[in-house]
Amino acid sequence: MNRRMMRNGVVAVVAALAMVPAVASADSCPHPAHGRHFGYQDTATVVTTARTTHAYGRVVTPNDARLNVRSGPGTGYRVVGTVRAGRVRALACKTYGSPVGGNERWYRLSHHRGYVSAHYVQPFRAVPWCRVLGG
């Protein structure tokens, strides 16, 4: 490999990295304080962690009922869709929200703009915490 090829490769990498938007976290802790976002979270400020693979979880509801997908992590947010019982869904991250069956954790779905209660989802592996900006 000669110097010209090396220089062109380095320039291409630097140019590609310059186009990636930087995300800064206002809090050094990767997860919010317990109860911090109880019904007052602006969903535009939540971003997922920078992982290329997602955790997956199976929806488990009583009587095979559909699980509501909500616009935010709590029962006070509007329903934006549903997921059938038994379905496996990609989970982007977890956060705290209003309690459902004593469980205050909510999962943000990866390919759907919404949240589901962790009370009705059995994850196959650990789910990362959502990062909160500007909080």
Side-chain angles (χ1 to χ4, degrees):
M1 191 184 252
N2 62 29
R3 288 184 184 177
R4 176 178 257 180
M5 289 174 59
M6 177 67 93
R7 184 187 57 173
N8 289 343
V10 170
V11 169
V13 169
V14 170
L17 289 175
M19 295 187 329
V20 175
V23 178
S25 177
D27 191 5
S28 61
C29 185
H31 55 81
H34 180 68
R36 179 176 173 186
H37 297 107
F38 183 76
Y40 301 105
Q41 184 170 1
D42 178 11
T43 57
T45 62
V46 176
V47 295
T48 60
T49 58
R51 292 188 180 211
T52 56
T53 60
H54 299 289
Y56 289 87
R58 182 176 308 279
V59 174
V60 180
T61 56
N63 302 324
D64 292 330
R66 289 180 176 258
L67 178 61
N68 287 334
V69 178
R70 297 190 177 266
S71 62
T75 55
Y77 290 92
R78 66 186 175 84
V79 176
V80 294
T82 59
V83 179
R84 288 189 211 153
R87 294 289 183 152
V88 175
R89 289 291 179 248
L91 308 172
C93 60
K94 64 184 172 186
T95 188
Y96 287 111
S98 62
V100 175
N103 189 342
E104 294 181 346
R105 290 188 183 162
W106 287 72
Y107 295 126
R108 185 171 189 271
L109 298 178
S110 296
H111 303 292
H112 191 294
R113 294 183 184 249
Y115 294 80
V116 292
S117 171
H119 182 72
Y120 298 112
V121 178
Q122 291 179 340
F124 299 142
R125 68 176 180 89
V127 179
W129 286 98
C130 298
R131 294 181 189 247
V132 179
L133 300 178

